[in-house]
Amino acid sequence: MTEDEARTALTARAAALSEEDRISGEAREPVTLQQDSVGRLSRMDAMQQQAMAQAQERRRSQEKLRIKAALERIDEGEWGYCVTCGEDIAEARLANDPSVATCVGCASAA
């Protein structure tokens, strides 16, 4: 995978994450109590779904940070090298996830 291909893939993934954030915005809003139409179990279910939506948002935020860091490494000419040991990251590993920052050895050690 070339730097240009990685930049394209990373940018597309960041856009998809932003779209997912936009779509799931309503699911993360506070659950309101409506005595007349929502029973106790329905409210608990709504609260659980809200918690899951918030957890997904946190994971998307973490992935966006990894993508931002990878794009910065591309700009600096450091993409494709392990941030821990400085060795090359395997091509297959980068093709699977262009935002990865460490080689297999360093990832396994962590």
Side-chain angles (χ1 to χ4, degrees):
M1 172 174 273
T2 67
E3 287 183 356
D4 288 336
E5 291 170 335
R7 183 184 309 277
T8 301
L10 290 166
T11 303
R13 181 62 183 149
L17 290 170
S18 294
E19 180 64 12
E20 288 175 25
D21 276 344
R22 187 190 66 75
I23 291 170
S24 69
E26 185 177 310
R28 296 186 310 268
E29 292 179 3
V31 177
T32 58
L33 178 60
Q34 297 174 342
Q35 293 285 358
D36 59 335
S37 65
V38 178
R40 182 172 156 246
L41 293 178
S42 296
R43 180 166 164 71
M44 290 172 61
D45 184 52
M47 290 171 66
Q48 180 182 19
Q49 294 210 4
Q50 175 198 31
M52 290 188 309
Q54 290 170 340
Q56 288 173 337
E57 179 191 25
R58 286 189 296 274
R59 285 190 294 273
R60 283 191 298 268
S61 293
Q62 291 172 346
E63 187 173 355
K64 285 181 193 177
L65 290 174
R66 286 193 311 272
I67 289 170
K68 181 181 176 193
L71 290 169
E72 289 173 358
R73 286 193 304 276
I74 289 172
D75 291 340
E76 296 168 358
E78 296 294 320
W79 181 79
Y81 300 102
C82 179
V83 296
T84 304
C85 68
E87 295 294 320
D88 289 345
I89 299 174
E91 180 72 27
R93 183 167 168 81
L94 289 172
N96 183 53
D97 181 2
S99 69
V100 73
T102 57
C103 65
V104 173
C106 291
S108 297

